[in-house]
Structures are given as C-alpha cells and as structure tokens.
Amino acid sequence: MAAKQMKFQEAMKRLDEIVTLLNNNELELEEAMSLFEEGLKLSAQCEKQLKKFETKMDQLMEVNKEFEDYLLMRVHENDDSRTKDAMAYSLMNGGKRVRPTLLFSVLEGYGIDARVGYPCACAIEMIHTYSLIHDDLPAMDNDDLRRGKPSCHKAYDEATAILAGDGLLTKAFEVALDSECSAEQKVALVKALSWYSGIDGMIYGQTLDLQSENDLNPTLALLQEIDHYKTSKLLTLPLVCGCILANKFDDVEHFRKIGLVLGLEFQMQDDILDVTGSEEVVGKSLSDEDNHKVTAVSLLGLQGARDMVASYDETIRKELGYVSCDVTSLSKVLDTLLKRTY
Ligand code: GRG
C-alpha cells in the first residue's frame, strides 16, 4: 500500500515495525536503506496528519468552551434561586458531554455548524443531569458521590435535589424549542426528547432496574433490556435529534439502530472493564464478581462478552454505511467512546 493511502493507525503500526526491524541489525544494507526511506515518508505523513488533527481538536475545544458557556447561561437564566444553584452545580460538574458530542458530530456529518445544535444538546444534557441527580437520591441508588464530588442532595439537600432534577427536566423542553428550525422540526424534537427520556424510554429502564434489584439470577435478556432502556435510549436521542435538525428524517431509523446498539456495547464494555481493569491491578477479577453481581460478563464469560462487543461493532459499522451523511467524525467519537480503558 502506498504510504500516502495508509490510515494514521496503520502508518504508526508500520513505523513501529520498521523501527523494530532496523533495531535488530540483521538487515542487508540495501534493505535497511529502503526501510529507512519508507520510515521517513511515513513519519512525514503522520506528522502532517497529526497537524490536521491538532487543528481539528483546536476547533472542537473552541466549540466545547462555547457550549459550556451556553449551558451555564441557559441554566442561570432569570431570577436566582437555591434550586437553580443546585441545577447549575450538577450540570457543570465535570460530565463528559458524550451526548452533546454525538449530536455535534452528526451535524458535522451533514455539514451543519455545531452551534445549530446548542439548544438541543443543552436540553439533552439537562435531561441526562436530572436523571443522575434523581438516580443518586436515597430513594434510588443512594450515592453520596457523583463524578468524585458530593452528589446534588449531599451538596444541597434532598428536597432541593428533587426540585433541581424537576427544574432541569422541564427547562430542557423550553431550551430545545429555541432551536433554529421549522415548527415541524421543533415538534419532532420535543416528541423525541419526551419519548427517549420518558416512561417508554429511560424511565422505563430505571423502573425495570428497580424491579430487578432482588432478582439474584437475572437473565442476559433482562440485563440487556435494562441497558436498552436505561442507557441506549438517551444515547440514541442526540443521534435522532441530529437527523431532525438536519431535516434528514430518512436517516432516523439507521441512527436509531446505531444508538440502541451503542448503549448495549457501552454497558458491555463497562462490565468487561470491571473485570479486566481489576485484573490488571491485582491480578484477579474483583468488583462485580466479588460482589456476586450478575453481569453480561459473568453470564457470557469474558470471551463471549468480547465476541458480543465485536458483533455490536459490526452492526454499528453496517448501519453507518446506510446513512446519507459523512460519518468520519461520528465514527471517531464512537471509537473513542467504545474503546475507552477507564
Ligand atoms: C432517575 C429517571 C431516572 C433515571 C436514572 C441515568 C440513570 C437512569 C442512572 C445512572 C446510572 C447509570 C450507570 C446509567 C446508565 C447510563 C449511563 C452510562 C450514565 C452515565 O453517563 P456518562 O458516562 O456520564 O455520559 P457523565 O458523568 O460523563 O455525564
């Protein structure tokens, strides 16, 4: 393959091979020279690609900073209150902004500026934050910490945390309606926000999760159903909203499939990391296994779970091939999300 046509990862891999071969000192002079030249070309190519990547990252950072300011501005609108402080505390508390990033990359694929997606991405992040605040409450998961900091009801109090969640959920719809698009698109956005996060979406997932708490032997199907609703629905929402904002309703079905599989894969990776991450540190599996928690990995085995991840990957790639936009940026975001090691 000509050096120019190689992808960055392939070029880096080849460079690594060349360095190893050259270090072995077992080559004829002519072969060593030819490899050296190939290495020089590849390293120039990688440097060029890295520069391009840096520029892209700078642009993304700019969007990120601007979006953070947008979130802060929207959450503090109108009169101050203790509830509003609590809303802002949780909204600006170090979330990874996975869902906004998904929305922005879909828009980029359609050639639309990320700013067009700010109101909708803000609305989704508000709904995501409300779900985390309520999930941490004593009546639910009873977590004192969220993202390593006191959870909302610990930083404020339980009643304020309930109101902060309610405030974020309801504000989300007001903010989404500020999207610059047609009335038909706005109706579709509001319907999607409600559908994916509501009682037939994420809330149903939380309901199933609560119901299954005392089930000591949940089936794989049940675990996947919980993930499907609790995780996948809110990861699908930004992809679907991206299509709606781009007025590409024909792509919705494919993005819906991608989002649903993405959530299952995201959770499966989490379960795998829970085992392998611990293994790396102490040489044996801990956490979920030691807590006797049944997970997809304990039901399928590590290899079975990895095979499942590979088949999810395959489905996502296939569906990405059907959508009408450029999926380069979205593919990178998905790779980063799914290949995480933390
Ligand atoms: C209370 C209605 C209600 C729902 C709660 C979101 C949720 C449902 C529970 C939180 C627990 C959990 C592990 C849910 C699965 C979804 C998920 C992976 C949430 C975390 O998303 P990230 O990683 O969070 O994007 P950050 O902190 O980066 O924003």
Side-chain angles (χ1 to χ4, degrees):
M1 193 189 286
K4 254 195 213 155
Q5 291 167 337
M6 260 193 204
K7 285 190 178 152
F8 183 74
Q9 286 98 328
E10 288 168 0
M12 286 299 286
K13 195 166 158 236
R14 178 68 187 143
L15 255 179
D16 202 39
E17 283 166 11
I18 292 173
V19 171
T20 312
L21 286 169
L22 289 174
N23 277 341
N24 277 348
N25 275 336
E26 284 168 3
L27 302 169
E28 297 291 332
L29 183 62
E30 207 176 316
E31 200 183 347
M33 286 302 288
S34 149
L35 277 176
F36 183 68
E37 254 182 54
E38 190 191 344
L40 280 182
K41 276 188 199 149
L42 282 173
S43 109
Q45 176 204 327
C46 288
E47 206 182 313
K48 218 166 125 190
Q49 283 173 320
L50 267 177
K51 276 253 146 16
K52 252 168 95 179
F53 185 64
E54 266 172 29
T55 314
K56 184 113 196 134
M57 283 302 287
D58 284 348
Q59 285 165 351
L60 278 177
M61 296 293 281
E62 209 176 292
V63 166
N64 282 351
K65 165 85 183 67
E66 219 180 67
F67 180 62
E68 293 300 306
D69 291 346
Y70 182 83
L71 287 172
L72 196 59
M73 186 263 288
R74 296 304 315 241
V75 77
H76 275 303
E77 271 169 355
N78 306 317
D79 297 339
D80 287 340
S81 66
R82 182 173 163 80
T83 299
K84 219 172 257 182
D85 285 349
M87 287 160 65
Y89 170 79
S90 292
L91 187 68
M92 309 308 293
N93 202 4
K96 296 185 290 297
R97 309 299 188 217
V98 169
R99 293 150 196 83
T101 308
L102 287 170
L103 174 50
F104 299 148
S105 41
V106 171
L107 289 180
E108 189 188 321
Y110 287 116
I112 297 173
D113 194 287
R115 288 166 189 88
V116 173
Y118 282 5
C120 193
C122 172
I124 296 172
E125 199 62 8
M126 282 177 162
I127 292 176
H128 167 61
T129 307
Y130 120 75
S131 78
L132 299 179
I133 294 176
H134 281 193
D135 188 59
D136 290 338
L137 286 169
M140 298 247 186
D141 249 19
N142 195 15
D143 271 319
D144 290 356
L145 291 176
R146 168 67 55 186
R147 301 166 183 149
K149 296 179 194 127
S151 43
C152 193
H153 66 277
K154 282 286 155 189
Y156 290 83
D157 55 77
E158 230 178 291
T160 306
I162 293 171
L163 285 176
D166 295 341
L168 285 164
L169 174 60
T170 42
K171 178 85 185 171
F173 289 89
E174 177 200 328
V175 176
L177 283 169
D178 289 333
S179 303
E180 280 183 34
C181 58
S182 69
E184 189 198 4
Q185 285 167 295
K186 285 185 190 185
V187 170
L189 285 178
V190 167
K191 175 111 195 248
L193 287 170
S194 170
W195 176 254
Y196 286 92
S197 65
I199 188 57
D200 296 301
M202 178 183 67
I203 293 182
Y204 180 60
Q206 185 75 350
T207 309
L208 282 178
D209 202 12
L210 287 176
Q211 275 170 9
S212 72
E213 246 170 22
N214 297 322
D215 186 349
L216 296 179
N217 290 303
T219 60
L220 183 64
L222 174 62
L223 295 177
Q224 289 188 320
E225 200 186 3
I226 294 172
D227 293 343
H228 172 94
Y229 285 97
K230 198 169 144 177
T231 308
S232 293
K233 292 287 179 178
L234 224 56
L235 287 172
T236 307
L237 182 57
L239 303 176
V240 168
C241 288
C243 292
I244 296 172
L245 284 168
N247 230 336
K248 298 282 180 190
F249 287 82
D250 286 351
D251 284 339
V252 167
E253 191 49 29
H254 299 299
F255 275 117
R256 206 180 58 79
K257 283 191 193 147
I258 292 168
L260 295 181
V261 175
L262 170 65
L264 295 182
E265 188 171 344
F266 189 82
Q267 282 303 143
M268 186 79 80
Q269 288 283 35
D270 226 40
D271 292 342
I272 292 174
L273 282 174
D274 206 52
V275 174
T276 56
S278 313
E279 274 174 347
E280 269 156 33
V281 179
V282 292
K284 73 178 189 78
S285 60
L286 282 171
S287 53
D288 281 348
E289 202 175 330
D290 273 13
N291 292 333
H292 305 291
K293 193 179 157 201
V294 178
T295 68
V297 177
S298 63
L299 291 175
L300 289 167
L302 200 49
Q303 192 51 48
R306 284 185 170 139
D307 290 345
M308 189 75 106
V309 163
S311 90
Y312 288 149
D313 256 343
E314 184 56 35
T315 308
I316 293 179
R317 300 278 148 243
K318 202 174 96 197
E319 290 299 325
L320 282 173
Y322 295 140
V323 296
S324 67
C325 62
D326 175 358
V327 293
T328 316
S329 181
L330 177 61
S331 301
K332 287 208 176 102
V333 172
L334 293 176
D335 278 348
T336 315
L337 196 57
L338 295 171
K339 305 287 178 297
R340 80 212 143 93
T341 52
Y342 52 89

